[in-house]
Coordinates of all heavy atoms in Angstrom, one line a residue:
V26 N -2.9 -4.3 -6.8 CA -3.0 -5.2 -5.6 C -2.9 -4.3 -4.4 O -3.6 -4.4 -3.4 CB -2.0 -6.3 -5.6 CG1 -2.1 -7.0 -4.3 CG2 -2.4 -7.3 -6.8
G27 N -1.9 -3.4 -4.5 CA -1.6 -2.5 -3.3 C -2.8 -1.6 -2.9 O -3.1 -1.5 -1.8
C28 N -3.5 -1.1 -4.0 CA -4.7 -0.2 -3.7 C -5.8 -1.1 -3.1 O -6.5 -0.6 -2.2 CB -5.1 0.4 -5.0 SG -4.1 1.7 -5.6
L29 N -5.9 -2.3 -3.5 CA -6.9 -3.2 -2.9 C -6.6 -3.5 -1.5 O -7.5 -3.4 -0.7 CB -7.0 -4.5 -3.8 CG -8.0 -5.5 -3.3 CD1 -9.4 -5.0 -3.4 CD2 -7.8 -6.8 -4.1
L30 N -5.4 -3.8 -1.2 CA -5.0 -4.0 0.2 C -5.2 -2.8 1.0 O -5.7 -2.9 2.1 CB -3.5 -4.4 0.2 CG -3.2 -5.8 -0.4 CD1 -1.6 -6.0 -0.4 CD2 -3.8 -6.9 0.5
Y31 N -4.9 -1.7 0.5 CA -5.0 -0.4 1.2 C -6.5 -0.2 1.6 O -6.9 0.0 2.7 CB -4.6 0.8 0.4 CG -4.6 2.1 1.2 CD1 -3.4 2.6 1.7 CD2 -5.7 2.8 1.2 CE1 -3.5 3.8 2.4 CE2 -5.8 4.0 2.0 CZ -4.7 4.5 2.5 OH -4.7 5.7 3.1
E32 N -7.4 -0.4 0.5 CA -8.8 -0.2 0.8 C -9.4 -1.3 1.8 O -10.2 -1.0 2.6 CB -9.6 -0.3 -0.5 CG -11.0 0.1 -0.4 CD -11.7 0.4 -1.7 OE1 -11.1 0.4 -2.8 OE2 -13.0 0.6 -1.6
M33 N -8.9 -2.5 1.7 CA -9.4 -3.5 2.6 C -9.0 -3.2 4.1 O -9.8 -3.4 5.0 CB -8.7 -4.9 2.3 CG -9.3 -5.5 1.0 SD -8.5 -7.0 0.4 CE -8.7 -8.0 1.8
L34 N -7.8 -2.6 4.3 CA -7.4 -2.2 5.6 C -8.0 -0.9 6.2 O -8.2 -0.9 7.4 CB -5.8 -2.1 5.7 CG -5.1 -3.5 5.5 CD1 -3.6 -3.3 5.2 CD2 -5.3 -4.4 6.6
V35 N -8.1 0.1 5.3 CA -8.6 1.4 5.7 C -10.1 1.6 5.6 O -10.7 2.3 6.3 CB -7.8 2.5 5.0 CG1 -8.3 3.9 5.2 CG2 -6.3 2.4 5.3
G36 N -10.6 1.0 4.6 CA -12.1 1.1 4.4 C -12.4 2.2 3.3 O -13.6 2.4 3.0
E37 N -11.4 2.7 2.6 CA -11.5 3.6 1.5 C -10.3 3.6 0.7 O -9.2 3.2 1.2 CB -11.8 5.1 2.0 CG -10.8 5.6 2.8 CD -11.2 7.0 3.4 OE1 -12.2 7.2 3.9 OE2 -10.3 7.9 3.3
P38 N -10.4 3.9 -0.7 CA -9.3 3.8 -1.5 C -8.2 4.9 -1.1 O -8.5 5.9 -0.4 CB -9.8 4.2 -2.9 CG -11.1 4.8 -2.7 CD -11.6 4.4 -1.3
P39 N -7.0 4.7 -1.5 CA -5.9 5.6 -1.1 C -6.0 7.0 -1.8 O -5.5 8.0 -1.3 CB -4.6 4.9 -1.5 CG -5.0 3.9 -2.5 CD -6.4 3.5 -2.2
Y40 N -6.7 7.0 -2.9 CA -6.8 8.3 -3.7 C -8.3 8.3 -4.1 O -9.0 7.4 -4.4 CB -6.0 8.3 -4.9 CG -4.5 8.0 -4.7 CD1 -4.0 6.7 -4.9 CD2 -3.7 9.0 -4.2 CE1 -2.6 6.5 -4.5 CE2 -2.4 8.7 -3.9 CZ -1.8 7.5 -4.0 OH -0.5 7.3 -3.8
R41 N -8.8 9.6 -4.1 CA -10.2 9.8 -4.4 C -10.2 11.0 -5.5 O -9.4 11.9 -5.3 CB -11.1 10.2 -3.2 CG -11.3 9.0 -2.3 CD -12.2 9.5 -1.2 NE -12.5 8.3 -0.4 CZ -13.7 8.0 -0.2 NH1 -14.8 8.7 -0.5 NH2 -14.0 6.9 0.5
G42 N -11.2 11.0 -6.3 CA -11.3 12.1 -7.2 C -12.7 11.9 -8.0 O -13.2 10.8 -8.1
L43 N -13.2 13.0 -8.3 CA -14.6 13.0 -9.0 C -14.5 12.4 -10.5 O -15.5 11.9 -11.0 CB -15.2 14.4 -9.0 CG -15.6 14.9 -7.6 CD1 -16.1 16.4 -7.7 CD2 -16.6 14.1 -6.9
T44 N -13.4 12.6 -11.0 CA -13.1 12.1 -12.4 C -11.9 11.3 -12.5 O -11.1 11.4 -11.6 CB -13.0 13.3 -13.4 OG1 -11.8 14.0 -13.1 CG2 -14.2 14.2 -13.4
P45 N -11.8 10.5 -13.5 CA -10.5 9.7 -13.6 C -9.3 10.6 -13.7 O -8.2 10.3 -13.2 CB -10.7 8.9 -14.8 CG -12.2 8.8 -15.0 CD -12.7 10.0 -14.4
Q46 N -9.4 11.8 -14.3 CA -8.3 12.7 -14.5 C -7.9 13.2 -13.1 O -6.7 13.4 -12.8 CB -8.7 13.9 -15.4 CG -8.9 13.4 -16.8 CD -10.3 12.8 -17.1 OE1 -11.1 12.9 -16.3 NE2 -10.3 12.3 -18.3
T47 N -8.9 13.6 -12.3 CA -8.6 14.1 -10.9 C -7.9 13.0 -10.1 O -6.9 13.3 -9.4 CB -9.8 14.6 -10.2 OG1 -10.6 15.5 -11.1 CG2 -9.6 15.1 -8.9
L48 N -8.4 11.8 -10.2 CA -7.8 10.7 -9.4 C -6.4 10.5 -9.8 O -5.5 10.3 -9.0 CB -8.7 9.4 -9.7 CG -8.2 8.2 -9.0 CD1 -8.6 8.2 -7.5 CD2 -8.9 7.0 -9.6
L49 N -6.1 10.5 -11.1 CA -4.8 10.2 -11.6 C -3.8 11.4 -11.2 O -2.7 11.2 -10.8 CB -4.8 10.1 -13.2 CG -3.4 9.9 -13.8 CD1 -2.8 8.5 -13.2 CD2 -3.5 9.7 -15.2
A50 N -4.3 12.7 -11.2 CA -3.5 13.8 -10.8 C -3.2 13.7 -9.4 O -2.0 14.0 -9.0 CB -4.3 15.1 -11.1
R51 N -4.1 13.3 -8.5 CA -3.8 13.2 -7.1 C -2.8 12.1 -6.9 O -1.9 12.2 -6.1 CB -5.1 12.8 -6.3 CG -5.9 14.0 -6.1 CD -6.7 13.8 -4.8 NE -7.4 15.0 -4.5 CZ -8.7 15.2 -4.2 NH1 -9.4 14.1 -4.2 NH2 -9.1 16.3 -3.9
K52 N -2.9 10.9 -7.6 CA -1.9 9.8 -7.4 C -0.6 10.3 -7.8 O 0.4 9.9 -7.2 CB -2.4 8.6 -8.3 CG -1.5 7.5 -8.0 CD -2.0 6.3 -8.7 CE -1.3 4.9 -8.5 NZ 0.1 5.0 -8.2
M53 N -0.5 11.1 -8.8 CA 0.9 11.5 -9.3 C 1.4 12.7 -8.4 O 2.7 12.8 -8.3 CB 0.8 12.1 -10.7 CG 0.4 10.9 -11.7 SD 1.3 9.5 -11.6 CE 2.9 10.1 -12.3
A54 N 0.6 13.4 -7.7 CA 1.1 14.6 -7.0 C 1.1 14.3 -5.5 O 1.9 15.0 -4.8 CB 0.1 15.8 -7.3
E55 N 0.4 13.4 -5.0 CA 0.2 13.2 -3.5 C 0.6 11.8 -3.1 O 0.4 10.8 -3.9 CB -1.2 13.5 -3.0 CG -1.7 14.9 -3.4 CD -3.3 14.9 -3.1 OE1 -3.8 14.0 -2.5 OE2 -3.8 16.0 -3.5
S56 N 1.2 11.6 -2.0 CA 1.3 10.3 -1.5 C 0.0 9.8 -0.7 O -0.7 10.7 -0.2 CB 2.5 10.3 -0.4 OG 3.7 10.5 -1.1
A57 N -0.2 8.6 -0.6 CA -1.4 8.1 0.0 C -1.2 8.3 1.5 O -0.1 8.2 1.9 CB -1.6 6.6 -0.3
P58 N -2.3 8.6 2.2 CA -2.1 8.7 3.7 C -1.5 7.3 4.3 O -1.9 6.2 3.8 CB -3.5 8.9 4.2 CG -4.3 9.4 3.0 CD -3.6 8.8 1.8
R59 N -0.7 7.5 5.2 CA -0.1 6.3 5.9 C -1.3 5.5 6.5 O -2.2 6.1 7.2 CB 0.9 6.6 6.9 CG 2.2 7.3 6.4 CD 3.0 6.4 5.4 NE 3.6 5.3 6.2 CZ 4.4 4.5 5.7 NH1 4.7 4.4 4.4 NH2 5.0 3.5 6.4
I60 N -1.3 4.2 6.5 CA -2.4 3.4 7.0 C -2.5 3.5 8.4 O -3.6 3.6 9.0 CB -2.2 1.9 6.6 CG1 -2.4 1.7 5.1 CG2 -3.1 1.0 7.4 CD1 -2.1 0.3 4.5
R61 N -1.4 3.5 9.1 CA -1.4 3.6 10.6 C -1.9 5.0 11.1 O -2.3 5.0 12.3 CB 0.0 3.3 11.2 CG 0.2 1.8 11.0 CD 1.7 1.4 11.5 NE 2.0 1.9 12.8 CZ 1.7 1.3 13.9 NH1 1.0 0.1 13.8 NH2 2.1 1.7 15.1
S62 N -2.0 5.9 10.2 CA -2.6 7.2 10.7 C -4.1 7.1 10.8 O -4.8 7.9 11.5 CB -2.3 8.3 9.8 OG -2.8 8.2 8.5
V63 N -4.7 6.1 10.1 CA -6.1 5.8 10.1 C -6.4 4.6 10.9 O -7.4 4.6 11.8 CB -6.7 5.6 8.7 CG1 -8.1 5.3 8.6 CG2 -6.3 6.7 7.8
R64 N -5.6 3.6 10.9 CA -5.8 2.3 11.6 C -4.5 1.9 12.4 O -3.6 1.3 11.8 CB -6.2 1.2 10.6 CG -7.4 1.3 9.9 CD -8.5 0.5 10.6 NE -9.7 0.6 9.7 CZ -10.8 1.2 10.0 NH1 -10.8 1.9 11.2 NH2 -11.8 1.2 9.3
D65 N -4.4 2.4 13.6 CA -3.2 2.1 14.4 C -3.0 0.6 14.7 O -1.9 0.3 15.2 CB -3.1 3.0 15.5 CG -4.3 2.8 16.5 OD1 -5.2 2.0 16.2 OD2 -4.2 3.4 17.6
T66 N -4.0 -0.2 14.5 CA -3.8 -1.6 14.8 C -3.1 -2.4 13.7 O -2.7 -3.6 13.9 CB -5.3 -2.2 15.0 OG1 -6.0 -2.1 13.8 CG2 -6.0 -1.6 16.2
V67 N -2.9 -1.8 12.6 CA -2.2 -2.4 11.5 C -0.7 -2.4 11.8 O -0.1 -1.4 12.2 CB -2.5 -1.7 10.1 CG1 -1.5 -2.2 9.0 CG2 -3.9 -1.8 9.8
S68 N 0.0 -3.5 11.6 CA 1.4 -3.6 11.9 C 2.3 -2.7 11.1 O 1.9 -2.5 9.8 CB 1.9 -5.0 11.9 OG 2.1 -5.5 10.6
P69 N 3.4 -2.2 11.5 CA 4.2 -1.4 10.6 C 4.8 -2.2 9.4 O 4.9 -1.6 8.4 CB 5.4 -1.1 11.6 CG 4.9 -1.1 12.9 CD 3.9 -2.3 12.9
G70 N 4.9 -3.5 9.6 CA 5.4 -4.3 8.4 C 4.4 -4.4 7.3 O 4.7 -4.2 6.1
V71 N 3.1 -4.5 7.7 CA 2.1 -4.5 6.7 C 1.9 -3.2 6.1 O 1.7 -3.1 4.9 CB 0.7 -5.0 7.3 CG1 -0.4 -4.8 6.3 CG2 0.8 -6.4 7.8
E72 N 2.0 -2.1 6.9 CA 1.9 -0.7 6.3 C 3.0 -0.5 5.4 O 2.8 0.0 4.2 CB 2.0 0.3 7.5 CG 1.9 1.7 7.0 CD 2.2 2.7 8.1 OE1 3.1 2.6 8.9 OE2 1.3 3.6 8.1
D73 N 4.2 -0.9 5.6 CA 5.3 -0.8 4.7 C 5.2 -1.5 3.4 O 5.5 -1.1 2.3 CB 6.7 -1.2 5.4 CG 7.1 -0.2 6.4 OD1 6.6 0.9 6.5 OD2 7.9 -0.6 7.3
L74 N 4.6 -2.8 3.5 CA 4.4 -3.6 2.4 C 3.4 -3.0 1.5 O 3.5 -2.9 0.2 CB 3.8 -5.0 2.8 CG 3.5 -5.9 1.7 CD1 4.1 -7.3 2.0 CD2 2.0 -6.1 1.5
V75 N 2.2 -2.4 2.0 CA 1.2 -1.8 1.1 C 1.8 -0.4 0.6 O 1.6 -0.2 -0.6 CB 0.0 -1.5 2.0 CG1 -1.0 -0.6 1.2 CG2 -0.7 -2.8 2.4
A76 N 2.5 0.3 1.4 CA 3.1 1.5 0.9 C 4.1 1.3 -0.3 O 4.1 2.0 -1.3 CB 3.9 2.3 2.0
R77 N 4.8 0.2 -0.2 CA 5.7 -0.1 -1.3 C 4.9 -0.6 -2.5 O 5.3 -0.3 -3.7 CB 6.7 -1.2 -0.9 CG 7.7 -1.6 -2.0 CD 8.8 -2.4 -1.6 NE 9.6 -2.8 -2.7 CZ 10.5 -3.7 -2.8 NH1 10.7 -4.4 -1.6 NH2 11.2 -4.0 -3.8
S78 N 3.8 -1.3 -2.4 CA 2.9 -1.7 -3.4 C 2.3 -0.6 -4.2 O 2.0 -0.8 -5.4 CB 1.9 -2.7 -2.8 OG 2.4 -3.8 -2.2
I79 N 2.1 0.5 -3.5 CA 1.3 1.6 -4.2 C 2.4 2.8 -4.4 O 1.9 3.9 -4.6 CB 0.1 2.1 -3.4 CG1 0.4 2.6 -2.0 CG2 -0.9 1.1 -3.5 CD1 -0.8 3.2 -1.3
A80 N 3.7 2.6 -4.3 CA 4.6 3.6 -4.5 C 4.4 4.3 -5.9 O 4.0 3.7 -6.9 CB 6.0 3.1 -4.5
R81 N 4.7 5.6 -5.9 CA 4.5 6.4 -7.2 C 5.3 5.9 -8.3 O 4.8 5.7 -9.4 CB 4.8 7.9 -6.8 CG 3.8 8.8 -7.4 CD 4.1 10.2 -7.1 NE 3.7 10.4 -5.7 CZ 4.2 11.5 -4.9 NH1 5.1 12.3 -5.5 NH2 4.0 11.5 -3.7
L82 N 6.6 5.7 -8.0 CA 7.5 5.2 -9.1 C 7.5 3.7 -9.2 O 7.6 3.0 -8.2 CB 8.9 5.7 -8.8 CG 9.1 7.2 -8.7 CD1 10.6 7.5 -8.2 CD2 8.8 7.9 -10.0
P83 N 7.3 3.2 -10.4 CA 7.3 1.8 -10.6 C 8.6 1.1 -10.1 O 8.5 -0.1 -9.6 CB 7.1 1.6 -12.1 CG 6.4 2.9 -12.6 CD 7.0 4.0 -11.6
A84 N 9.6 1.8 -10.2 CA 10.9 1.2 -9.7 C 10.9 1.0 -8.2 O 11.7 0.1 -7.7 CB 12.1 2.0 -10.1
D85 N 10.1 1.7 -7.5 CA 10.0 1.5 -6.1 C 9.0 0.5 -5.6 O 8.9 0.1 -4.4 CB 9.6 2.9 -5.4 CG 10.6 4.0 -5.6 OD1 11.8 3.6 -5.8 OD2 10.3 5.1 -5.5
R86 N 8.3 -0.1 -6.6 CA 7.2 -1.1 -6.2 C 7.9 -2.5 -6.3 O 9.0 -2.6 -6.8 CB 6.1 -1.0 -7.2 CG 5.3 0.3 -7.1 CD 4.2 0.2 -8.1 NE 3.9 1.6 -8.5 CZ 3.6 2.0 -9.8 NH1 3.5 1.1 -10.7 NH2 3.3 3.2 -10.0
Y87 N 7.1 -3.5 -5.8 CA 7.6 -4.9 -6.0 C 7.5 -5.1 -7.5 O 6.7 -4.6 -8.3 CB 6.7 -5.8 -5.3 CG 6.7 -5.7 -3.9 CD1 5.7 -5.0 -3.1 CD2 7.7 -6.2 -3.1 CE1 5.8 -4.9 -1.8 CE2 7.8 -6.1 -1.7 CZ 6.8 -5.4 -1.1 OH 7.0 -5.2 0.3
Q88 N 8.5 -5.8 -8.0 CA 8.8 -6.0 -9.5 C 8.0 -7.2 -10.0 O 7.8 -7.3 -11.2 CB 10.2 -6.1 -9.8 CG 11.0 -4.9 -9.5 CD 10.4 -3.7 -10.2 OE1 10.4 -3.6 -11.4 NE2 10.1 -2.6 -9.4
S89 N 7.4 -8.0 -9.1 CA 6.6 -9.2 -9.6 C 5.7 -9.6 -8.4 O 5.9 -9.3 -7.2 CB 7.5 -10.3 -10.0 OG 8.2 -10.9 -8.8
A90 N 4.7 -10.4 -8.8 CA 3.9 -10.9 -7.8 C 4.6 -11.9 -6.9 O 4.3 -12.0 -5.7 CB 2.7 -11.8 -8.5
L91 N 5.7 -12.5 -7.3 CA 6.5 -13.4 -6.5 C 7.2 -12.6 -5.5 O 7.3 -13.0 -4.3 CB 7.5 -14.2 -7.3 CG 8.4 -15.1 -6.6 CD1 7.6 -16.2 -5.8 CD2 9.3 -15.8 -7.5
D92 N 7.7 -11.4 -5.8 CA 8.3 -10.5 -4.8 C 7.4 -10.1 -3.7 O 7.7 -10.1 -2.5 CB 9.0 -9.3 -5.5 CG 10.1 -9.6 -6.4 OD1 10.7 -10.7 -6.3 OD2 10.5 -8.6 -7.2
L93 N 6.2 -9.8 -4.1 CA 5.2 -9.4 -3.1 C 4.8 -10.6 -2.3 O 4.7 -10.4 -1.0 CB 3.9 -8.8 -3.9 CG 2.7 -8.5 -3.0 CD1 3.1 -7.3 -2.0 CD2 1.6 -8.0 -3.8
K94 N 4.7 -11.7 -2.8 CA 4.3 -13.0 -2.1 C 5.4 -13.3 -1.1 O 5.2 -13.6 0.0 CB 4.2 -14.1 -3.0 CG 3.9 -15.4 -2.3 CD 3.9 -16.6 -3.3 CE 3.8 -17.9 -2.5 NZ 4.2 -19.0 -3.3
T95 N 6.7 -13.1 -1.5 CA 7.9 -13.3 -0.6 C 7.9 -12.4 0.6 O 8.0 -12.7 1.7 CB 9.2 -13.3 -1.4 OG1 9.1 -14.2 -2.5 CG2 10.4 -13.5 -0.5
A96 N 7.6 -11.1 0.3 CA 7.5 -10.1 1.3 C 6.3 -10.3 2.3 O 6.5 -10.2 3.5 CB 7.4 -8.7 0.8
L97 N 5.2 -10.8 1.8 CA 4.1 -11.1 2.6 C 4.4 -12.3 3.5 O 4.1 -12.3 4.6 CB 2.8 -11.3 1.8 CG 1.5 -11.4 2.5 CD1 1.2 -10.3 3.4 CD2 0.4 -11.7 1.4
A98 N 5.0 -13.3 2.9 CA 5.3 -14.6 3.6 C 6.3 -14.2 4.8 O 6.2 -14.8 5.9 CB 5.9 -15.6 2.7
A99 N 7.2 -13.3 4.5 CA 8.2 -12.9 5.6 C 7.5 -12.3 6.8 O 7.9 -12.4 7.9 CB 9.3 -12.0 5.0
L100 N 6.4 -11.6 6.5 CA 5.6 -11.0 7.6 C 4.9 -12.0 8.4 O 4.6 -11.8 9.6 CB 4.6 -10.0 7.0 CG 5.1 -8.8 6.4 CD1 4.0 -7.9 5.8 CD2 5.9 -7.9 7.4
T101 N 4.5 -13.1 7.8 CA 3.7 -14.1 8.5 C 4.6 -15.2 9.2 O 4.0 -16.0 9.9 CB 2.7 -14.8 7.6 OG1 3.4 -15.4 6.5 CG2 1.7 -13.8 7.0
E102 N 5.9 -15.3 8.9 CA 6.7 -16.2 9.6 C 7.0 -15.9 11.0 O 7.1 -14.8 11.4 CB 8.1 -16.3 8.9 CG 8.0 -16.9 7.5 CD 9.3 -16.9 6.7 OE1 10.3 -16.4 7.4 OE2 9.4 -17.3 5.6
P103 N 7.0 -16.9 11.9 CA 7.3 -16.7 13.3 C 8.8 -16.2 13.4 O 9.6 -16.7 12.6 CB 7.1 -17.9 14.0 CG 7.1 -19.0 12.9 CD 6.7 -18.3 11.6
P104 N 9.1 -15.4 14.4 CA 10.4 -15.0 14.6 C 11.3 -16.1 14.9 O 10.9 -17.0 15.6 CB 10.4 -14.0 15.7 CG 9.0 -13.9 16.1 CD 8.1 -14.8 15.3
R105 N 12.5 -16.1 14.4 CA 13.5 -17.2 14.7 C 14.3 -16.8 15.9 O 14.7 -15.7 16.2 CB 14.4 -17.3 13.4 CG 13.7 -17.8 12.3 CD 14.7 -18.0 11.1 NE 13.8 -18.3 9.9 CZ 14.4 -18.7 8.8 NH1 15.6 -18.8 8.6 NH2 13.6 -19.0 7.8
P106 N 14.5 -17.9 16.7 CA 15.3 -17.6 18.0 C 16.8 -17.3 17.7 O 17.3 -17.6 16.8 CB 15.2 -18.9 18.8 CG 14.7 -20.0 17.8 CD 14.1 -19.3 16.6

């Protein structure tokens, strides 16, 4: 889901490679470029949400779809006075 969100916001996938092996090697060795370095109109909260969704280590990612939904909902709630 994180890679899909990244591609929707940036217009290209976070990792590229000519072969599946190259793609996997890049994902394991490199961090995806920060979204705001390409699209500065994306909010920092959305950038952080996507970055956590595509984190290299599984323990650093959202542990469930519900966790991701909760984080996304928090971004869309109006600020409380």
Side-chain angles (χ1 to χ4, degrees):
V26 172
C28 288
L29 179 64
L30 290 171
Y31 185 98
E32 189 167 350
M33 288 172 63
L34 292 168
V35 175
E37 60 185 49
Y40 306 99
R41 291 179 172 235
L43 296 176
T44 65
Q46 293 81 8
T47 305
L48 183 73
L49 183 59
R51 281 208 170 132
K52 186 175 184 332
M53 298 307 293
E55 303 170 8
S56 295
R59 297 294 289 183
I60 291 174
R61 289 176 52 81
S62 68
V63 179
R64 297 261 188 252
D65 61 353
T66 57
V67 174
S68 74
V71 170
E72 180 183 49
D73 292 342
L74 181 134
V75 174
R77 183 171 174 192
S78 296
I79 61 174
R81 222 177 290 160
L82 298 174
D85 293 339
R86 297 181 208 140
Y87 293 102
Q88 297 303 301
S89 70
L91 181 59
D92 291 346
L93 178 60
K94 178 186 171 196
T95 302
L97 188 57
L100 290 175
T101 59
E102 290 179 359
R105 296 182 182 188

